[in-house]
Amino acid sequence: AALGELEALNLSGRGLEELPEEVGAALSGLRVLSLRRNRLGRLPAAALRHLGRLAELDLSHNRLRGLGDGGALAGLRGLRKLSLSHNELGAEGPGLPPRLAELGRLEELDLSFNRLRRLPEGLSRLRHLRALDVDHNLLPSFPAPLLELVALEELDCSGNRHLGALPEGIAALRRLKILWLSGTGLAALPESLCQLSALESLMLDGNRLRALPAGFGSLQRLKMLNLSSNLLGEFPAAILALPSLEELYLSRNQLTLLPPRLCQLRQLRTLWLDNNRIRYLPDSIVLLHSLEELVLQGNQIAILPEGFGQLSRVTLWKIKDNPLIQPPYEVCMKGIPYIAAYQQELAHSQPALKPRLKLVLMGLKDAGKTLLRRCLMEEDGQREDMGSLEAGSTQPRGFHGQQQDIGRGIEVMDWTADAERGLTFIVYELAGDPSYDVIQSFFLSPGALYVLVVNLSAYVPQHFYASVGYFLHWLGSKVPHAVVCMVGTHADLCAERELEEKCLDIHHQIAQQEKRDAEGLQSLVQQVDEALGQDFDLRCSSPHAAFYGVSDKNLRRKKAQFQYLLNHRPQILSPVLPFSCQDRCQVRRLRDKLLSVAEHRDIFPNLHRVLPKSWQVLEELHFQPQAQQLWLSWWDSARLGLQAGLTEDRLQSALSYLHESGKLLYFEEHLTLREYVFHNLPRLIDILNVFCQRDATVLLQKLLSDTHIDELRATQLHHYVEGFLLHGLLPAHVIRLLLKPHIQSREDLQLILELLEKMGLCYCVNKPKCKPLNGAAAWYKFPCYVKNEVPHAEAWINGANLSGQSFVVEQLQIEYSFPFIFPPGLFARYSVQINSHVVQRSDGKYQIYAYRGKVPVVVSYRPARGALQPDTLSIASHASLPNIWTAWQAITPLVEELNVLLQEWPGLYYTVHVLCSKCLKRGSPNPHTFPGELLSQPRPEGLTEIICPKNGSERVNVALVYPPTPTVISPCSK
């Protein structure tokens, strides 16, 4: 009796292959029944005949290939809601039976994702139908019977790619509020569409529309309009007549201008205009006071209208990939409040144009970068051996007096290349030594001109990748679309024909590498397109499928990433310029080339950026000779700000800009560091160079420079250096000695150590979480120095290990693969970033064993073993199956830290996978990999096991592939 009174029953995800008739007989009073995500191959007709009172029935996500004669459903006379989505009803046979039309009270019908080529006859008899979903089927045209469903309020026909056109009779659906027609192949819209006066939401993205009907402005109730991914060359004027519009999406069209009357859309909250060809924004855009989302990335916008800061309600703001000069790119990327501050400051003080461009010299250790720099910067350009530079325009920034030695790591200095035009280069010379890898990537930034230097006398074609290809991959992954000038040094040591052949070979091999990379990415785009062409259910049906289980949203995100990488290749200025300091003509030609490239507005719009005079004065005050201490306190900086005419409340924005543009370091969100401004970059670089020094003699020289050190103390310091070069360990007091004369006080030392930790160079190994050290010496670990190959494996004792032996526990492993390049220094920086998350760690050169709480974790880096093998970085843990959530809990923060670090490399291609735990347990050398995108997706309902394609008889528990809760964002996306 109790079962007979039950009104709602949810049997979702139970793996049911049938529903026995007895169940239906016992539940005759049922009004709501959900059977979604089961394995029903046919309609449970016998059970349904007993459920005459049913009002809602959900049969979605099953394996139904037909509904029989439809009698079992037709008998459910009181049915108001029926979902049959994600089945195989159109795969074979006659499709849907006509008797479906006998459900006279039906209000909602979902037939999406069924590969249907036609809808059931008599559908027009469903007079009460309010919502119909037929998206992602194979309908060849718009079904005429739909026009007779006069009660219809919601209609979704998206994803029927061959629909092609809408009939003029669409006006009959006068009650329609929601109409979704995404990706239906529409080239035009009928005028009759404009008679749907009740319409509130209209999705037309992914079609081939070039214009809207003249009467489109009649849709006065329209609140949401999506016209993204069409062929619109002009902003449709009819949109301006839609006073209720709240959301407007016009991404990925061909728009060049926006109308001045855009401000008429006073209710607009969301405006997406990314990836068009827009050069200017109308001044009236600042009057859209309700705007909360504004997406403008991927256009050609150089100047934002005055008063842009009035758009204070905007919380989603995207502006990258525009040639911004006013405000500068660095200001715009910080958000609307910073744009407001900039524009207010510009109103306070006159604008200032001071052309300054970052010039970065890179290449192998003996490429000739230092000599090239000296030849370019020397006034007469005549001498090969330049000796010490004179003070003046060629002096290192921040240094007055003694000149620094050659070959001391990374150097930075100003070069007034054209005094007449006031054009200044800030020249960074990077070290060619891999010891500096951990810090060099900090100096690769957008908006710089890069000179890749090759020693032509030593160059051989077999070593192209080490001399050239590697640097292009490194630069391209950190700065997509970087502008690169190729220079071949020591040209005077090559015969004329040899010189020509080598330059030609470099040019040819660069083209080949670019072609290979582009073809690889295009192939990946094609694979994603093929996967998107399949139904989601088809992708989920077999682990053999490419991109198994990956959602359409994640696939589209992946495709957008590939397209970004394809569209942002390095801009390599051809050909290779031969260079010799002996040849004054070659020196002059290179200088002229650098100047002409720098002044090209399309290549370097940021050179012409407009700054408030007060910001420029503030910058100059920070770099004046009397401000040569290592850092300034916030108050010191504020006093300089007052001299520049900046009150304290206006100083923050100016410092933020100077930080973003690489002039100084100011970490406004760091609890300790935000109280200081690191304005003296040359001295800071000197400090960084110390920690990339691998020569024990040089380090000992620094430590023993004090004449009062006795023999015992000298021996002790010798041991410290040995330990540093082997294990990367140093106590704080020795670090202080190494950094003389830069460090004068304990406060200096503490601040620099905080900064080094922030930059990912070191961490304190014995600092308690909340208490001071009570006089004990603080020891710091520099992971880039660790030489022992494998750490102690205490963490994996009594558990699954890496040799593949079988244990009761299950191993969880996330693997990142880097087919083109593994970012130099990434593993060392990552090692520092995860320190706050782990305890009891033990470090090797390529592995870290540690604990998260009581759960062991291991981080492993494996360099490529051959040209076709990628570098990999994996994060692993283990636990028994019932406790596998603890392993997920252990590795998830480490995955998130890595994802944050990888955001610094927007041009880097990498993949993420979840390794099959069964394969790992078997010790398979090539375990099966599940797509990393699954980490950001919820576990599928009803799915408990997944077949491992490497061994069809083995099933992997779903808890070993999907985390308990999805990560915030797909690890594979940028």
Side-chain angles (χ1 to χ4, degrees), residues 796-797 799-807 809 811 878 920:
W796 291 78
I797 291 170
N801 65 10
L802 298 176
S803 65
Q805 296 172 23
S806 183
F807 290 87
V809 296
Q811 188 168 326
H878 65 237
L920 292 173

Side-chain angles (χ1 to χ4, degrees), residues 687-693 724 735 738-739 756 782 784-785:
I687 287 172
L688 296 178
N689 283 331
V690 169
F691 294 110
C692 295
Q693 179 58 256
F724 180 48
I735 294 174
L738 271 178
L739 296 181
L756 294 177
F782 292 79
C784 56
Y785 278 90

Side-chain angles (χ1 to χ4, degrees), residues 527-718:
Q527 290 173 33
V528 174
D529 276 335
E530 287 170 4
L532 280 167
Q534 300 171 332
D535 289 342
F536 176 62
D537 272 17
L538 196 60
R539 283 202 301 279
C540 294
S541 62
S542 167
H544 293 273
F547 304 109
Y548 164 77
V550 179
S551 67
D552 282 2
K553 181 180 178 181
N554 269 335
L555 279 179
R556 283 192 292 269
R557 187 181 277 159
K558 198 174 186 72
K559 181 180 175 180
Q561 182 203 345
F562 293 149
Q563 292 287 11
Y564 177 83
L565 296 178
L566 275 169
N567 296 336
H568 292 78
R569 309 302 304 154
Q571 301 173 73
I572 300 160
L573 305 178
S574 170
V576 180
L577 292 172
F579 182 89
S580 166
C581 283
Q582 306 282 13
D583 189 329
R584 291 188 64 186
C585 289
Q586 288 183 345
V587 175
R588 198 174 299 116
R589 185 177 67 165
L590 178 57
R591 182 186 290 151
D592 292 344
K593 174 75 172 177
L594 295 177
L595 285 169
S596 67
V597 171
E599 293 188 319
H600 199 299
R601 276 183 176 268
D602 289 339
I603 299 177
F604 288 111
N606 57 316
L607 190 64
H608 307 277
R609 57 190 162 199
V610 179
L611 291 181
K613 182 75 174 173
S614 54
W615 288 18
Q616 186 186 308
V617 172
L618 180 73
E619 180 185 342
E620 288 167 356
L621 287 171
H622 274 84
F623 300 133
Q624 63 190 356
Q626 60 266 36
Q628 288 315 301
Q629 58 267 51
L630 186 54
W631 47 264
L632 297 174
S633 72
W634 163 264
W635 294 110
D636 293 334
S637 196
R639 276 190 284 275
L640 294 177
L642 287 172
Q643 290 180 48
L646 285 165
T647 52
E648 190 186 322
D649 58 317
R650 287 153 47 211
L651 178 66
Q652 183 97 357
S653 301
L655 287 176
S656 174
Y657 163 73
L658 292 174
H659 171 86
E660 294 295 334
S661 57
K663 307 291 173 48
L664 48 72
L665 294 182
Y666 172 58
F667 300 98
E668 57 186 301
E669 291 171 8
H670 191 281
L671 199 60
T672 310
L673 297 178
R674 68 185 177 196
E675 299 298 326
Y676 302 91
V677 176
F678 297 90
H679 65 301
N680 195 335
L681 289 190
R683 283 187 68 188
L684 189 59
I685 288 169
D686 272 356
I687 287 172
L688 296 178
N689 283 331
V690 169
F691 294 110
C692 295
Q693 179 58 256
R694 302 297 167 104
D695 189 330
T697 312
V698 173
L699 291 170
L700 277 169
Q701 228 171 356
K702 284 180 175 289
L703 292 174
L704 300 174
S705 58
D706 191 334
T707 52
H708 302 297
I709 293 177
D710 58 32
E711 193 176 335
L712 182 65
R713 180 74 172 138
T715 306
Q716 191 180 27
L717 290 174
H718 198 280

Side-chain angles (χ1 to χ4, degrees), residues 919-936:
C919 293
L920 292 173
K921 193 177 269 194
R922 270 204 323 272
S924 168
N926 295 303
H928 176 66
T929 59
F930 296 100
E933 286 81 4
L934 301 184
L935 295 171
S936 67

Side-chain angles (χ1 to χ4, degrees), residues 30 69 92 168 179 264 298 328 334 377 389 393 428 486 523 605 610 628 639 681 689 732 800 812 814 816 887 898 934:
L30 215 54
D69 63 359
E92 58 185 42
E168 283 291 341
L179 177 58
Q264 290 176 205
K334 293 287 287 183
M377 293 171 65
L389 294 178
S393 68
Y428 285 79
M486 296 293 308
S523 169
V610 179
Q628 288 315 301
R639 276 190 284 275
L681 289 190
N689 283 331
L812 200 58
I814 313 295
Y816 287 67
L898 184 54
L934 301 184

Side-chain angles (χ1 to χ4, degrees), residues 790-802 807 809-811 838-844 847-860 876-879 887 890-891 894:
V790 182
H792 303 296
E794 300 96 332
W796 291 78
I797 291 170
N798 302 323
N801 65 10
L802 298 176
F807 290 87
V809 296
E810 301 287 353
Q811 188 168 326
V838 299
V839 294
Q840 297 177 44
R841 63 184 287 170
S842 176
D843 290 38
Q847 282 187 324
I848 303 162
Y849 289 109
Y851 281 89
R852 279 266 301 151
K854 295 182 178 179
V855 183
V857 290
V858 63
V859 177
S860 306
S877 182
H878 65 237
I891 67 172
L894 307 190

Side-chain angles (χ1 to χ4, degrees), residues 343-354:
Q343 291 185 330
Q344 287 164 14
E345 196 58 44
L346 212 53
H348 275 284
S349 62
Q350 72 267 38
L353 261 172
K354 188 171 183 184

